[in-house]
Amino acid sequence: MVTTSEIREQFLRYFEKNGHRRVPSSSLVPAGDPTLLFTNAGMNQFKDVFLGREPRDYKRATTSQKCVRAGGKHNDLENVGRTARHHTFFEMLGNFSFGDYFKEEAIRFAWELVVDVFKLEVDRLWFTVFEGDGSVPADDEAAALWVKAGARPDRVLRFGKKDNFWSMGDTGPCGPCSEIHYFRGEDMSKNVAALVNGEGDDTMEIWNLVFMQYDRGADGTLTLLPAPSVDTGAGLERFASILQNCGTNYDIDVFEPLMASIAEISGYAYRGLMGDDLDTAVRVLCDHARAAVFLISDGVIPSNEGRGYVLRRIIRRGIRFGRKLPAAVLLSKLVDSVIESMGGAYPELKERREAILRTLQSEEERFSRTLTTGMERVGQVLDEIRARGERTVGGAELFRLYDTFGIPVDLIGEMAEEEGVTLDREGFETMMSGARARAKASSKFHSATDAATFARIAERVGPVEFVGYDQYVDVPSVVKAIVIEGADQEVLHPRQEAEVVLSPTPFYAESGGQVGDSGTLVWDGGHARVLDTQKPASELPVSRVRVEEGHLPIGATVRASVPVPARLDTTANHTATHLLHKALKDILGPTVQQAGSLVAPDRLRFDYTHHQPLTEEQLRLVEEQVNQKIRENLEVSKRTMAIAEARSTGAVSMFDEKYGEIVRVVSAGDYSREFCGGCHVNRTGDIGVFKIVSDRSLAAGVRRMEALTGRGAIAYFRKLEGAAHEIQQQANVGLDDLPAYVRSLQEKQRQLEKEMKQLRMRLATGGESTRGAGSQPVEEAIDVEGINLLARRVDDVSGGDLRNLADTFRSKIKSGVVVLGSVTEGKVTLLIAVTKDLIDRIPANALIARLAPIVGGKGGGKADLAQAGGKDADKLNQALQSAPAALREMLKGARGE
C-alpha cells in the first residue's frame, strides 16, 4: 500500500520534473498578511507573488502546505468528527504558475498525475468548469482541454460562480476554476452526475485548478490580466483515502498511530461508524491532536483572542469529546503519536516536542480547574432558576456559562436534565451568531484597504534602497511618491501630512519587532518631520511626513536624517534582544520560543514561551549571562545568504516573519545567530549594560520580559539610587540596613492590621443594626410569621470575615435567617445565612435575589448561604429594612398564596 508520505513525495517530484521549484510549507501563522487568521491554502505564501508585489527567481512552484481551517470565513470546526472528510488541520498539495503556463499545461499536468502516476480509474473521474453568467463568459476552453486530455465530454459538467469561480477579494485577481471529482462508491450504477457537488461523500472533490485570468476593478469591471496565472490545491488526506482504498480520510495510515494510542488509553476500539458518539469522539481527537500540535509548534499559544482563542477552542473541544470515551483521553497523551506520524515530513515537531507537551498539559490543567469552578456556577444558576419557579436556562445565561466559564453546552444540558430544567438553545444560538460575527470581524487584525494603492506605487517607483544600517544622517534622498488618503499628490504644503516614499531611505520600516524610524527631512527652503515609517506593501518603506516649513514636491532631493541617539539606542536594544533570547534558551531550556518582541529606542520587550514564573536566581543568571556577552565585546556580523544555507548554520527564525529566498543573518560571535533584517551594533560592547526591569505572565504559557540597555539602563540606575538615598535620609539608616528596616515596618503593619480586624469584629458583634446599637443578636432578632430574622449592618467587614460573622449569628439564634450588609471601600456586600431547618422554605439564594437589586446588584449561592455585590451604598439600609417584607412574600409563596 502506498503511504501518505509517498503520495506527498510523488506529487512534489512529478512537478519538480516538470520545471517547478519545490518550496517548503510556510508557517500556519500567515506572515505579512493581517487579513488571515491561519494559513488555509497553498497559495497564501504566494499572495504577494500573484499580486506582483514580490519577485521570485522562479515562475513555477509546488508545495505541500500545512493548513488550518477553524476560524473566520473558513471554519470547519463544528463539522470535524461528524463527517468523513472535514478537518481543522490538513495538508494541501499544489502547483503554481506565476505568469508562466496556463490552462492547457495545468490541465495536462493534472490529468497525467491523476491518471498516469496515481493510476486512478478514468471512469470514476468527473470534471467541472465555469458555466458563465452575464458578466463572465463560460470557460469553454477548459472544457475542451479536459476532453483533449482524455475525458469523455459527458464527464465535463458546468456549474456557477458558487462552485467554479474564484476571487482573492472584492478587487484584484480572479477567474474561473476547474475541479476534479472522484466517485468512491462500490456500485458504479450510482456513479452519476447528480452526485457531483451534491449530497453525501460518495463523489468528492479531490483537486481544484484556479485560473487567474481577470483583474476585477473597484467598479466590478473585469479586464484580462497580461500574464494569467495558475493556483491549484488538492487535499493530501483525500488523495490518500482513495489511493489506500479507505472508507474515510480517518482510515488512512497517518491516523493509525493516533487510533492505536486512543484505543490503548480508553479501552475503546474505533469502528468507523458515522453518527456514533464514540467514533465521532475518536475522529475529533485524531484531528484536534494534529491541529493543536502543529499550531503550538508554529508558535500559537492558547489565549482569549485571535489565533490563541481558536487554539483554545480546539483543545477544549478535544477534552470535551475525550471525556465521552470509557476512559478519558487528553490531547497531550497523543503528542508522541502525532510526531510519530508526521515527524518525518516536519522534523520541527520533534525539536519542539517539550514545548508542545507543556503547553497542552498546562491548558488541560487550566480547563480542568475551569470545569470545576464552572460546574459549581452551573449548579448555582440551576438553584436560582428553581427558586424563581422557572424551568428554563435562558439563552443569555447559557451563553455566559459557555463563553465566560468555558462549560460545554452539552455538559450544562446533562446537569439541567437531572434537575428537570431545559435549555433555551435557540436563544443561545442567537448569542453565538453574534459572537461569531464579532470574531470574524476581529480576525482581520488590520485594514488592508490601501494595500492595492501602495502595490501600484511600488510597481511604479521600483525598488527602494534602504541605507539606514550605516548611513542615517544627511542622506541624499529623492521624493518618489506622495499620498494623502489614497490619492497621489504632486506637492505637500506646510502643516500637511502625507505618506511619502523616499529612495534611498535611511528610515527603517517597522518589522521584526523593531519600531519604525522617525526623523527629519531638510531641503532648500523647507524642512519636515518624519513621524513614523511602515511597510504597507512588500519591500516598500513609506514614511509619514508632516511639513513644517516650505513646499515638498515630487522629485525633490532632501537630506534625510534619523537622530543619532535614537539609532544607537535602538541598535543596542535590538542586539540585546538577540542575546536575551539565547540566554533564556540556555538558562530555561531549548523549549523557550520567541512569541513577540518590541525594539524601541527607550526600551526592549521580549515575549517568550515558558509555563512558570522565573525564580530570582534564574532572572539573575539570565541578566548576568547577557552582560557577560556584552563585556566580551563580541563582533556582531551581518551577512546575506540563501535561506537553505542560513538554516544549515543553525540560525533561529521567527514563526511569524516572512522570509524570501535570500535572508540576512545577524550573529554575535558564535553565541547567537538569528534571521534578522533589523539594525544592530557592530560589537556587543556597544550595548554598554543590560538590566531586566520586569518579568510577568502575559497569557497561559507566555511571559513578557522588559529590559533596558545603555543610556536607558543608566537612567534607571540613577532613579533607583535617588529613591534609595531619599529612603535612607527619611529612615536614618544605612543602605545595607534598608532591607531589614523595611521588613520590620511590614511586620509592624501586619500586627496593626490584625489588631484592627479583631476590633472591627468585636464592634460588629455588638454594633449598629436596623434596631439600634448595643443589643445582642437573640434580643435583636424580630419575629416574621414565626421566623427569627436578624438584619444588621456591619461596615468594613468583608469576604471570609463576613461569612464567619454570619455563622456566629446563625448559631446564636438557633433557628432563623441572618441578613448582613456591609460597605467596604465603597463596595456593597449583602450576605444571607439560613439555619438548616428552614432552607427548604426559605432558600438563601432566593431571598438574596429579592434584596440585591435594591443596592444595584445581583447575587447567587446555595440554599443555606448566599452573597451579592452591589453598587449603591446609599441604599444598603433600605435593603436591610426590606428584609422582613421580602421574607413574608417568600413565606406566602411557600404556602401557595
Side-chain angles (χ1 to χ4, degrees):
M1 179 188 75
V2 63
T3 67
T4 301
S5 292
E6 289 168 344
I7 295 168
R8 183 193 300 113
E9 183 59 28
Q10 285 177 353
F11 184 98
L12 296 173
R13 193 183 306 124
Y14 170 82
F15 282 103
E16 276 188 307
K17 288 179 180 178
N18 283 280
H20 292 65
R21 175 78 61 85
R22 184 188 297 214
V23 179
S25 170
S26 64
S27 168
L28 286 170
V29 178
D33 189 348
T35 65
L36 272 181
L37 199 60
F38 297 113
T39 298
N40 56 34
M43 66 81 60
N44 290 160
Q45 68 166 307
F46 301 116
K47 182 177 178 180
D48 283 346
V49 182
F50 282 121
L51 290 171
R53 300 175 188 166
E54 180 185 339
R56 297 278 178 104
D57 64 350
Y58 50 84
K59 290 197 171 184
R60 299 182 177 194
T62 184
T63 66
S64 181
Q65 174 65 51
K66 50 191 179 184
C67 299
V68 163
R69 291 185 179 176
K73 178 181 177 182
H74 299 285
N75 188 358
D76 290 343
L77 186 58
E78 295 305 321
N79 290 321
V80 171
R82 305 185 193 281
T83 72
R85 55 190 173 83
H86 280 98
H87 300 284
T88 52
F89 173 87
F90 61 97
E91 288 184 80
M92 185 177 284
L93 303 168
N95 59 289
F96 308 90
S97 165
F98 311 119
D100 186 27
Y101 62 82
F102 199 45
K103 292 181 187 178
E104 182 168 7
E105 293 89 340
I107 288 173
R108 177 173 59 81
F109 288 149
W111 178 274
E112 285 182 0
L113 185 61
V114 167
V115 175
D116 299 336
V117 178
F118 288 156
K119 308 293 184 185
L120 296 189
E121 297 177 48
V122 174
D123 288 343
R124 291 180 177 271
L125 295 173
W126 296 85
F127 310 89
T128 68
V129 298
F130 181 53
E131 66 181 5
D133 62 14
S135 60
V136 186
D139 197 357
D140 296 328
E141 181 186 5
L145 288 169
W146 281 119
V147 174
K148 179 181 178 181
R152 296 204 319 255
D154 64 318
R155 288 304 179 99
V156 182
L157 309 178
R158 296 169 185 267
F159 290 88
K161 279 189 173 180
K162 176 178 176 291
D163 297 301
N164 281 87
F165 196 87
W166 179 92
S167 18
M168 191 175 289
D170 294 334
T171 61
C174 59
C177 58
S178 182
E179 296 176 342
I180 303 176
H181 294 250
Y182 183 82
F183 176 72
R184 54 191 302 161
E186 294 182 4
D187 185 353
M188 290 296 286
S189 67
K190 295 180 179 179
N191 182 17
V192 294
L195 292 182
V196 178
N197 288 327
E199 295 183 357
D201 293 326
D202 281 349
T203 299
M204 69 178 184
E205 173 203 339
I206 58 172
W207 202 345
N208 186 15
L209 285 63
V210 176
F211 305 124
M212 298 185 201
Q213 64 186 89
Y214 300 110
D215 181 22
R216 189 193 305 276
D219 60 355
T221 303
L222 296 179
T223 56
L224 288 171
L225 289 169
S229 299
V230 174
D231 154 31
T232 84
L236 174 60
E237 290 81 1
R238 292 191 186 186
F239 261 129
S241 70
I242 293 169
L243 294 173
Q244 294 175 13
N245 195 27
C246 295
T248 74
N249 289 3
Y250 290 94
D251 298 317
I252 65 176
D253 61 328
V254 293
F255 288 107
E256 288 175 359
L258 287 154
M259 296 282 188
S261 294
I262 292 169
E264 182 180 351
I265 297 167
S266 69
Y268 175 76
Y270 180 68
R271 296 175 296 165
L273 301 177
M274 290 295 149
D276 180 84
D277 286 348
L278 296 180
D279 281 353
T280 297
V282 173
R283 287 189 289 271
V284 167
L285 286 166
C286 286
D287 174 89
H288 288 11
R290 296 208 311 166
V293 166
F294 273 90
L295 284 170
I296 296 169
S297 174
D298 278 356
V300 182
I301 299 295
S303 68
N304 288 328
E305 59 183 14
R307 299 179 179 111
Y309 177 65
V310 176
L311 173 58
R312 174 162 284 168
R313 284 187 61 207
I314 289 171
I315 295 171
R316 292 186 173 188
R317 189 170 186 261
I319 294 171
R320 169 186 153 199
F321 277 87
R323 289 162 61 103
K324 294 177 181 289
L325 295 172
V329 178
L330 295 172
L331 297 185
S332 60
K333 300 295 183 183
L334 304 178
V335 170
D336 287 333
S337 298
V338 175
I339 294 174
E340 177 187 344
S341 171
M342 307 294 292
Y346 299 97
E348 66 270 19
L349 298 182
K350 299 175 184 177
E351 299 168 9
R352 299 168 186 168
R353 175 186 177 276
E354 290 304 315
I356 295 167
L357 200 56
R358 288 183 187 178
T359 301
L360 271 174
Q361 289 170 339
S362 175
E363 183 64 16
E364 287 165 348
E365 290 167 5
R366 185 188 186 94
F367 188 48
S368 177
R369 293 193 298 270
T370 297
L371 279 177
T372 301
T373 304
M375 298 305 256
E376 184 176 328
R377 177 59 190 155
V378 173
Q380 292 173 359
V381 168
L382 295 175
D383 287 344
E384 291 164 11
I385 288 171
R386 287 199 312 275
R388 294 196 299 266
E390 299 172 2
R391 286 291 177 267
T392 302
V393 181
E397 184 66 46
L398 184 57
F399 179 76
R400 191 169 73 88
L401 291 169
Y402 171 81
D403 192 55
T404 303
F405 294 95
I407 309 302
V409 174
D410 60 347
L411 293 184
I412 300 172
E414 290 173 10
M415 291 183 68
E417 186 178 357
E418 293 172 3
E419 302 293 334
V421 175
T422 60
L423 307 182
D424 176 13
R425 292 182 180 270
E426 186 176 340
F428 171 77
E429 284 303 325
T430 300
M431 299 290 289
M432 279 294 292
S433 296
R436 290 189 190 105
R438 290 189 295 273
K440 182 178 179 181
S442 68
S443 73
K444 295 185 178 181
F445 300 113
H446 304 288
S447 170
T449 305
D450 293 329
T453 299
F454 285 114
R456 288 193 293 271
I457 291 172
E459 186 175 353
R460 186 175 76 233
V461 305
V464 172
E465 183 185 6
F466 173 69
V467 296
Y469 293 131
D470 305 307
Q471 306 171 49
Y472 45 86
V473 177
D474 288 336
V475 175
S477 186
V478 176
V479 177
K480 295 289 188 178
I482 300 174
V483 181
I484 298 179
E485 296 183 353
D488 285 324
Q489 306 292 319
E490 289 299 317
V491 64
L492 194 57
H493 302 291
R495 293 179 297 281
Q496 277 191 312
E497 285 188 17
E499 312 297 332
V500 175
V501 178
L502 302 164
S503 185
T505 180
F507 300 110
Y508 183 85
E510 180 174 337
S511 63
Q514 184 175 323
V515 300
D517 276 338
S518 58
T520 60
L521 302 179
V522 178
W523 63 96
D524 291 340
H527 61 90
R529 290 178 58 200
V530 174
L531 307 176
D532 188 17
T533 305
Q534 298 291 323
K535 194 182 290 183
S538 179
E539 305 307 317
L540 182 72
V542 177
S543 294
R544 183 74 179 173
V545 172
R546 178 193 294 147
V547 172
E548 302 289 342
E549 183 180 342
H551 303 272
L552 183 63
I554 291 284
T557 298
V558 299
R559 297 189 302 281
S561 298
V562 177
V564 173
R567 169 64 90 239
L568 296 179
D569 291 344
T570 300
T571 59
N573 283 333
H574 205 152
T575 306
T577 302
H578 286 210
L579 300 180
L580 172 60
H581 189 185
K582 182 62 165 61
L584 286 168
K585 284 181 175 289
D586 288 348
I587 304 301
L588 304 181
T591 59
V592 167
Q593 292 186 56
Q594 180 173 338
S597 68
L598 173 73
V599 176
D602 60 332
R603 70 195 188 284
L604 69 88
R605 187 178 74 207
F606 190 78
D607 301 339
Y608 61 101
T609 57
H610 195 59
H611 293 278
Q612 58 192 30
L614 273 65
T615 65
E616 289 296 324
E617 177 64 11
Q618 286 174 325
L619 285 170
R620 187 190 66 78
L621 288 171
V622 169
E623 188 173 274
E624 174 54 33
Q625 183 159 313
V626 173
N627 279 304
Q628 175 61 34
K629 296 306 171 184
I630 291 172
R631 289 192 295 272
E632 289 177 12
N633 200 24
L634 303 172
E635 181 183 0
V636 179
S637 64
K638 304 96 177 175
R639 294 176 54 212
T640 56
M641 61 186 76
I643 191 168
E645 180 188 353
R647 293 192 192 283
S648 70
T649 67
V652 176
S653 58
M654 302 302 113
F655 70 88
D656 59 349
E657 286 295 321
K658 185 176 182 178
Y659 301 107
E661 295 300 302
I662 302 298
V663 297
R664 184 170 180 260
V665 175
V666 175
S667 304
D670 293 327
Y671 177 69
S672 166
R673 187 174 289 110
E674 293 191 17
F675 288 34
C676 186
C679 302
H680 288 269
V681 298
N682 292 319
R683 304 193 74 90
T684 58
D686 298 339
I687 297 170
V689 66
F690 172 85
K691 177 60 185 174
I692 297 171
V693 295
S694 71
D695 182 68
R696 61 182 178 85
S697 174
L698 185 63
V702 181
R703 301 193 64 77
R704 170 167 288 177
M705 185 173 288
E706 297 194 46
L708 302 170
T709 67
R711 294 191 309 154
I714 291 172
Y716 178 75
F717 295 144
R718 285 175 177 163
K719 184 178 178 181
L720 290 180
E721 184 182 33
H725 181 67
E726 184 177 347
I727 295 172
Q728 281 181 262
Q729 287 186 320
Q730 292 182 0
N732 197 26
V733 296
L735 183 62
D736 293 341
D737 298 325
L738 268 181
Y741 177 75
V742 171
R743 285 194 295 271
S744 70
L745 288 179
Q746 290 173 329
E747 181 57 37
K748 288 177 183 178
Q749 183 179 355
R750 281 192 289 268
Q751 188 61 35
L752 287 172
E753 287 174 352
K754 181 179 178 182
E755 291 174 7
M756 286 179 64
K757 181 178 175 181
Q758 291 170 346
L759 288 171
R760 277 198 299 269
M761 290 296 287
R762 285 178 197 163
L763 181 62
T765 306
E768 183 182 352
S769 72
T770 55
R771 298 183 59 193
S775 55
Q776 292 300 312
V778 177
E779 299 169 357
E780 184 181 335
I782 64 172
D783 183 287
V784 179
E785 299 186 17
I787 304 295
N788 286 323
L789 171 64
L790 170 62
R792 175 176 285 223
R793 178 167 179 158
V794 284
D795 287 343
D796 297 320
V797 179
S798 60
D801 292 338
L802 197 62
R803 288 189 289 274
N804 291 336
L805 190 60
D807 287 339
T808 300
F809 288 160
R810 184 165 49 180
S811 65
K812 286 186 177 181
I813 64 174
K814 308 293 186 192
S815 174
V817 177
V818 176
V819 181
L820 300 180
S822 175
V823 177
T824 304
E825 297 180 353
K827 296 180 181 178
V828 181
T829 303
L830 276 174
L831 188 140
I832 296 177
V834 180
T835 55
K836 288 185 179 180
D837 59 317
L838 297 175
I839 57 176
D840 291 333
R841 294 172 60 195
I842 315 163
N845 49 8
L847 181 55
I848 207 160
R850 295 170 180 264
L851 298 180
I854 297 174
V855 293
K858 58 182 180 179
K862 298 181 179 179
D864 63 332
L865 188 69
Q867 184 172 318
K871 305 172 185 174
D872 200 338
D874 293 338
K875 293 187 177 180
L876 177 57
N877 284 341
Q878 179 185 337
L880 294 172
Q881 290 163 1
S882 300
L887 179 56
R888 289 190 190 95
E889 288 296 320
M890 287 191 63
L891 292 171
K892 284 182 183 179
R895 293 193 297 268
E897 297 179 12

